[in-house]
Amino acid sequence: MSARIRVITTGGTIASVPGPGGEVSVAVAGRDLIGAAGAAVTVEVDEAMLVHSFNLTLDDMLRIAERVAAAVADPEVDGVVVTHGTDTMEETAFFVDLLLGAHRTVVFTGAQRHAGEPDGDGPRNLADALQVAAATARRGLGAVVVMAGRVHAARYATKAHTVAPDAFDSPGYGPIGRVHDGRVHIAARPERLPGFTLAELEGLAVRVDIVPAYLGADGVHVAASRAAGARGLVLEALGAGNPTPGLLGETRACVAAGMPVLVTSRCHAGPSVPVYGAGGGATLQEAGAVFAGSLAAPKARLLLTAALAAEPGPAEALARIGPHLTI
């Protein structure tokens, strides 16, 4: 008896075709995606939404997570696949990973070439994702991204190329597995830590902004976020986690106002670490900012958003996510 896989479809390039004017729009129903993939497993389709991922909101992401939770809890479902646009796939996958039980795997996939192209990559990616879901459903990999024959852990996966079919990478870590000729090879198991429950996150109406650092940044964007009511901030700092003088001053103001600040790096690989004094990362830490380790800024934002939604205050939120900032 073949594995029974639930495919939750959300849209994205994998479900897109060009219109009369040449613009690409989401239009392909979930059942048609499955037909093109030629799956060797039993598939049931749950069409959650039909949108480009650059239009998704936090509420949409929560809806997708709720569909995943329902699928994982269904005893008749052996594995779960989510089709998703590649622009924000890494964020939704990471958020779902924070909600998954220790012994489950959920597979995200999509496409870089739309469904109307003769060499579209969607059918192969979906077929690979179905095989990974069937082979690893109860192996506790958490959420993974399967694209171009590679399996990436959600914590490290990122879209590294705008248009290439092999668009995803895990900078500094590499993929945890591969799919070749329908065979799934998993070489590593990602470290996973306790996350959150859906009951704790009834709403994600918590504003957490990301502010990038660049030469001469004066901190006006940090001040604007604070004025706009942000409850937390992620600073995408320079190098190992260094601010400009303007960003350092505004970070002090955030901490003084009870607003937690996580520090990530704009570098593609390596952790943020407080090394330099004289206004560098060590000074930023002394000012009360918290370093986010290997997390990229978009994922640090989601982690802090979830913690602030789940906990009564910033101190409790930072304590809750502390272990996630050390790996």
Side-chain angles (χ1 to χ4, degrees):
M1 183 177 178
S2 64
R4 188 175 188 86
I5 309 298
R6 183 170 298 173
V7 178
I8 301 168
T9 63
T10 69
T13 299
I14 193 172
S16 296
V17 291
E23 74 287 351
V24 177
S25 300
V26 181
V28 182
R31 62 182 178 277
D32 296 324
L33 292 181
I34 300 304
V41 296
T42 301
V43 175
E44 59 179 57
V45 176
D46 176 6
E47 192 161 50
M49 57 191 72
L50 199 60
V51 297
H52 289 296
S53 70
F54 51 75
N55 286 327
L56 291 175
T57 65
L58 287 176
D59 284 342
D60 292 328
M61 186 181 66
L62 192 57
R63 284 173 54 202
I64 294 169
E66 289 168 347
R67 297 291 186 102
V68 170
V72 167
D74 189 333
E76 296 186 1
V77 173
D78 298 311
V80 182
V81 170
V82 180
T83 62
H84 197 288
T86 57
D87 282 357
T88 60
M89 184 191 295
E90 63 201 76
E91 290 166 83
T92 304
F94 176 71
F95 182 72
V96 166
D97 189 63
L98 292 174
L99 297 169
L100 277 181
H103 303 295
R104 301 310 298 249
T105 302
V106 172
V107 183
F108 282 74
T109 195
Q112 286 286 86
R113 294 172 177 159
H114 63 71
E117 295 196 56
D119 59 346
D121 55 330
R124 172 55 65 87
N125 286 338
L126 181 51
D128 286 349
L130 291 167
Q131 291 300 321
V132 173
T136 67
R138 301 182 189 279
R139 289 177 60 179
L141 301 182
V144 297
V145 172
V146 173
M147 293 281 292
R150 300 196 295 174
V151 183
H152 297 274
R155 178 182 175 91
Y156 304 115
T158 188
K159 187 174 181 179
H161 198 286
T162 57
V163 295
D166 191 6
F168 277 75
D169 197 7
S170 297
Y173 296 90
I176 63 169
R178 298 182 182 275
V179 187
H180 182 66
D181 282 343
R183 295 185 178 182
V184 179
H185 306 271
I186 302 298
R189 181 184 298 274
E191 182 178 1
R192 301 185 63 230
L193 296 168
F196 301 88
T197 66
L198 278 172
E200 294 179 294
L201 307 177
E202 292 181 357
L204 286 176
V206 177
R207 180 172 186 140
V208 176
D209 290 337
I210 299 172
V211 173
Y214 48 86
L215 190 150
D218 61 6
V220 66
H221 296 104
V222 176
S225 290
R226 192 169 62 251
R231 289 181 53 195
L233 184 81
V234 174
L235 179 62
E236 193 174 45
L238 304 169
N242 303 308
T244 63
L247 290 173
L248 176 59
E250 287 298 333
T251 297
R252 287 195 172 105
C254 288
V255 174
M259 182 175 165
V261 178
L262 295 185
V263 182
T264 65
S265 174
R266 72 177 190 176
C267 297
H268 297 300
S272 61
V273 287
V275 176
Y276 296 95
T283 309
L284 196 59
Q285 186 181 55
E286 289 170 3
V290 177
F291 279 67
S294 61
L295 277 179
K299 295 171 185 177
R301 171 188 173 246
L302 290 176
L303 181 64
L304 184 55
T305 299
L308 288 169
E311 296 295 333
E316 293 88 348
L318 287 173
R320 176 78 176 268
I321 64 176
H324 290 264
L325 309 181
T326 61
I327 61 175

